[in-house]
Amino acid sequence: MKNISRSSYALLFIFLLCAPLFLHDFRVALLAKFLCFAILAVGICLIWGYTGILSLGHGVFFGLGAYCVAMYLKLEASPTGIPDFMGWSGIVELPGLWKPFANPYFAISAAVIVPVLLALVLGYFTFKNRIRGVYFSLISQALVVVFVTLFIGKQEITGGTNGLTNFSTAFGISLTNRGVQQVLYFITVGFLLLTVAFALWLTKSRAGKLLMAIREGENRVRFLGYNPTSFKVFVYCVSAALAGVAGGLFVLQVGMISPEMMGIIPSIEMVLWVAVGGRYSIFGAVIGAILTNSAKSFFSESYPDFWLFFLGGLFILVVLVMPNGLVGLGKSVGEKITSRIKKKEKEDVQHEAGPYVS
Amino acid sequence: MKPVLTCRDIKVDFDGFYALKGVNLNVFHEEVRFLIGPNGAGKTTLLDVICGKTRATNGQVIFEGSGQIDKMQEHKIASAGIARKFQAPSIFPKLTVFENLELSVKQKKSVWALLTAKLNSEVKAKIDYILEKINLQNERNREAGELAHGQKQWLEIGMQLIQEPNLLLLDEPIAGMSGVEREKTGYLIHDIAKECSVLVVEHDMDFVRNFSKQVTVMHEGAVLCEGSMAEVQENEQVVEVYLGRGKKVC
């Protein structure tokens, strides 16, 4: 089993590294976007699959990470030092909130730190007060509504519904350059590799087992002398950090971020990627994000009128037929085949043993 | 002799219904104390108060070495050395037997400590020792959820033992066990008592008769009497509580 999972990871990353050789630039750019989603999906897998906390608000962490990097890119693309949309709102001086984001290093670290801080505060208060299950999911949805409303309402600072776009350079290098896009692609693959390695290490550690134990029986964990609050806050922060990283990488490659991309529907979709791939498996989360998004773009290109139906159908199918996602399906098919082979071997042996009537 | 655990005038009010009406109880070192009593006597509620699951409306719980514990958080009470086995087997079904015990081992229990924890030979030896005690050596790599009911009960007892507690609270440890398993559990409990005090809630009178030294009888949220099983059986009040009711039913 170990070898199978190891070789599937190896195959996946070999494929990702070679993809620019045989895929069109446009496809590579799409794939890069999906890989950002895959990083985020690993975070959701950790918190939902392993710890059993269903967060329907990861769009916010993704969005915050994206906005942090986008603010830097926007400032680089504004020759006057004030983003164009602010001018339309009559703002003549750069707001204090924006000032530190002129520094790329600040912006990049903020893309991780801001989501983590939000998760820390929100997680501490909800988990400490033992808000669990559906109630936590609802709060995480409310978080999305709050942030989307805030980002749209504060148009003069955030760019409103249009969000932030029209970037040109990062570190003085043009982002539209083909070579730069390829480098960014490989950086994303590298981040995904690091994310997967970290997630595997975490789940194999004793702390990872405790996360599963929280999923299985939080009270038992408590009466073993552990404080589940700190572990839940920890995993919430980890997944928020991964979502932030994903958002930052996303904005570098896609070139825009708007409140729509961090809203309720994307937040729920993120959970569905993980469900499709298999929520109990890191590998499942990665391929779930890549395959679901590939299917989405394939359907929307080929059947623009029907693609939402296809997508909906796919999700219903997964929920009804494959509760453990694609990975679970692969596993059960594999087990069936091996058990059938074993059974056959047994029968053959009995045959050879001669007429044996019981 | 100083008691390990002292409960003073514990009252628990569930919206006007007093599940406990002023319970006083002492548990001493290396003692196996059985709590018996008819349904609704408040035995499980008392265990819940001791381990922090239910908060007492009145009274104090004092634990040797930690002082008053009735205001402490559950995980702190557990770290102080009180282990609790619940009535329904409460284990982690998707983790293996070994992993269940690995998480229960007495260790630093912060996030950082667990991230950096290593499975060293000392921990392995401890787990092996417990596995042998609870007779699950051959099931170590099985998912705990696949075990038979009795084995789950044992695993949960093992998870409490490996915490090296000073006081072990067992809630109906033999519920759903076969005759042989019951006897094994009885001997296991006596074995445990060499290292820590044990407070057992049990319904099964034969089991109590065979394995108890000290018995506390509870009735309607209060302690009725204490003593050896023989003494308790002679007590008229106890006879009335148990048999009197029985007669009416018959």
Side-chain angles (χ1 to χ4, degrees):
Chain A
M1 203 59 231
K2 234 178 196 171
N3 288 332
I4 294 178
S5 76
R6 228 176 245 170
S7 44
S8 31
Y9 279 114
L11 273 178
L12 174 72
F13 278 100
I14 290 170
F15 167 79
L16 291 179
L17 286 174
C18 301
L21 295 177
F22 52 84
L23 283 181
H24 190 265
D25 280 356
F26 169 70
R27 295 283 163 208
V28 175
L30 270 183
L31 188 58
K33 192 169 100 175
F34 302 161
L35 295 185
C36 297
F37 293 156
I39 293 173
L40 183 144
V42 171
I44 292 186
C45 175
L46 288 176
I47 191 170
W48 183 42
Y50 280 86
T51 322
I53 304 167
L54 177 58
S55 160
L56 296 176
H58 265 55
V60 168
F61 302 124
F62 176 81
L64 285 175
Y67 267 95
C68 284
V69 173
M71 281 158 86
Y72 158 69
L73 295 176
K74 192 71 192 166
L75 286 177
E76 274 238 333
S78 310
T80 57
I82 294 178
D84 46 10
F85 66 87
M86 287 185 187
W88 306 331
S89 303
I91 288 186
V92 284
E93 203 192 334
L94 192 66
L97 179 70
W98 273 72
K99 274 178 187 153
F101 286 91
N103 182 332
Y105 302 106
F106 178 87
I108 290 169
S109 26
V112 180
I113 292 168
V114 171
V116 168
L117 283 181
L118 179 65
L120 188 73
V121 173
L122 187 77
Y124 179 75
F125 285 107
T126 45
F127 297 138
K128 185 173 181 283
N129 292 313
R130 305 201 181 166
I131 294 167
R132 293 197 269 181
V134 178
Y135 301 99
F136 176 78
S137 305
L138 286 176
I139 286 180
S140 65
Q141 282 264 281
L143 180 77
V144 178
V145 178
V146 167
F147 270 84
V148 170
T149 315
L150 187 74
F151 273 63
I152 293 175
K154 283 275 163 199
Q155 189 170 353
E156 65 278 12
I157 299 177
T158 60
T161 23
N162 297 329
L164 302 177
T165 185
N166 290 333
F167 311 132
S168 53
T169 58
F171 294 99
I173 308 164
S174 167
L175 282 170
T176 45
N177 186 310
R178 183 169 178 265
V180 173
Q181 284 291 332
Q182 284 218 333
V183 170
L184 278 174
Y185 172 81
F186 286 115
I187 288 176
T188 312
V189 174
F191 267 102
L192 180 62
L193 187 66
L194 284 177
T195 305
V196 167
F198 168 76
L200 288 176
W201 169 78
L202 177 64
T203 52
K204 296 274 182 301
S205 77
R206 201 174 289 168
K209 286 171 196 162
L210 195 87
L211 294 180
M212 281 186 258
I214 289 175
R215 181 188 76 200
E216 306 277 299
E218 192 173 336
N219 263 333
R220 178 73 277 168
V221 168
R222 199 170 269 132
F223 290 109
L224 284 178
Y226 295 98
N227 185 1
T229 307
S230 42
F231 286 88
K232 287 164 95 172
V233 170
F234 166 73
V235 75
Y236 195 35
C237 289
V238 166
S239 70
L242 291 177
V245 169
L249 287 167
F250 175 90
V251 100
L252 275 171
Q253 300 176 77
V254 178
M256 70 168 299
I257 180 73
S258 72
E260 196 196 338
M261 296 174 184
M262 57 195 273
I264 285 187
I265 291 172
S267 294
I268 293 175
E269 255 183 56
M270 290 166 186
V271 172
L272 287 171
W273 305 334
V274 181
V276 168
R279 60 186 274 209
Y280 300 117
S281 146
I282 307 285
F283 186 75
V286 172
I287 59 163
I290 298 174
L291 292 180
T292 317
N293 282 294
S294 308
K296 187 176 165 180
S297 64
F298 168 75
F299 286 140
S300 59
E301 283 164 26
S302 315
Y303 312 96
D305 296 334
F306 295 108
W307 74 269
L308 266 177
F309 292 103
F310 275 115
L311 209 60
L314 181 69
F315 292 143
I316 292 172
L317 195 74
V318 165
V319 172
L320 286 182
V321 189
M322 323 183 272
N324 292 333
L326 291 170
V327 167
L329 184 75
K331 236 186 217 169
S332 60
V333 167
E335 271 165 20
K336 253 182 205 162
I337 292 172
T338 48
S339 75
R340 196 165 284 179
I341 291 172
K342 268 187 195 158
K343 210 175 166 192
K344 205 158 179 235
E345 275 172 2
K346 238 186 202 169
E347 277 171 8
D348 290 348
V349 169
Q350 278 189 356
H351 249 287
E352 281 161 21
Y356 181 76
V357 187
S358 59
Chain B
M1 204 163 70
K2 239 184 108 191
V4 176
L5 179 88
T6 309
C7 297
R8 267 192 218 141
D9 195 26
I10 302 290
K11 287 180 187 156
V12 171
D13 177 7
F14 288 133
D15 291 324
F17 169 74
Y18 276 88
L20 295 177
K21 300 169 184 164
V23 173
N24 292 296
L25 180 78
N26 288 320
V27 180
F28 295 94
H29 283 279
E30 294 171 23
E31 181 185 36
V32 183
R33 170 72 63 110
F34 276 77
L35 267 182
I36 62 171
N39 282 331
K43 305 177 298 278
T44 299
T45 309
L46 184 59
L47 292 196
D48 285 348
V49 168
I50 295 171
C51 76
K53 193 169 176 237
T54 303
R55 297 290 160 187
T57 330
N58 180 55
Q60 292 175 318
V61 183
I62 293 150
F63 188 57
E64 193 185 36
S66 309
Q68 195 177 343
I69 58 167
D70 48 274
K71 300 277 185 295
M72 275 161 67
Q73 283 178 291
E74 296 96 318
H75 67 272
K76 290 204 171 130
I77 296 177
S79 306
I82 296 183
R84 165 83 189 263
K85 191 214 158 292
F86 292 94
Q87 191 173 344
S90 145
I91 49 170
F92 308 122
K94 290 281 174 195
L95 297 179
T96 65
V97 170
F98 188 89
E99 287 168 336
N100 266 279
L101 290 169
E102 186 190 340
L103 288 178
S104 315
V105 170
K106 189 178 186 179
Q107 59 189 317
K108 276 194 183 162
K109 292 185 169 169
S110 67
V111 176
W112 182 249
L114 254 73
L115 279 171
T116 51
K118 293 219 168 60
L119 192 58
N120 55 27
S121 52
E122 192 195 341
V123 174
K124 271 188 190 156
K126 269 187 196 170
I127 296 176
D128 282 333
Y129 173 70
I130 295 292
L131 278 172
E132 199 188 316
K133 232 178 189 177
I134 57 174
N135 215 358
L136 291 174
Q137 302 100 309
N138 299 326
E139 322 289 339
R140 58 168 63 215
N141 292 325
R142 273 179 73 185
E143 272 185 14
E146 295 173 358
L147 296 178
H149 183 80
Q151 291 176 316
K152 283 183 191 162
Q153 299 274 46
W154 279 338
L155 174 59
E156 200 187 349
I157 295 176
M159 286 163 71
Q160 310 316 314
L161 290 184
I162 207 164
Q163 293 179 61
E164 299 168 31
N166 301 324
L167 173 66
L168 176 58
L169 310 174
L170 296 173
D171 199 348
E172 301 201 22
I174 61 162
M177 281 189 180
S178 69
V180 186
E181 286 175 329
R182 282 166 184 234
E183 205 165 310
K184 269 189 187 169
T185 310
Y187 289 119
L188 181 61
I189 291 173
H190 273 269
D191 203 18
I192 296 164
K194 288 172 196 153
E195 287 154 39
C196 71
S197 313
V198 189
L199 183 57
V200 195
V201 165
E202 192 46 72
H203 265 305
D204 189 293
M205 281 304 141
D206 286 331
F207 185 76
V208 178
R209 214 164 283 132
N210 289 337
F211 293 100
S212 69
K213 283 181 190 141
Q214 282 294 307
V215 176
T216 298
V217 186
M218 288 182 71
H219 179 54
E220 290 183 346
V223 172
L224 205 60
C225 73
E226 283 184 332
S228 71
M229 189 63 186
E231 286 166 15
V232 163
Q233 275 178 313
E234 294 298 308
N235 187 304
E236 273 180 27
Q237 276 179 300
V238 176
V239 173
E240 195 175 314
V241 166
Y242 269 95
L243 297 181
R245 245 192 218 177
K247 266 180 197 164
K248 266 181 217 162
V249 173
C250 295

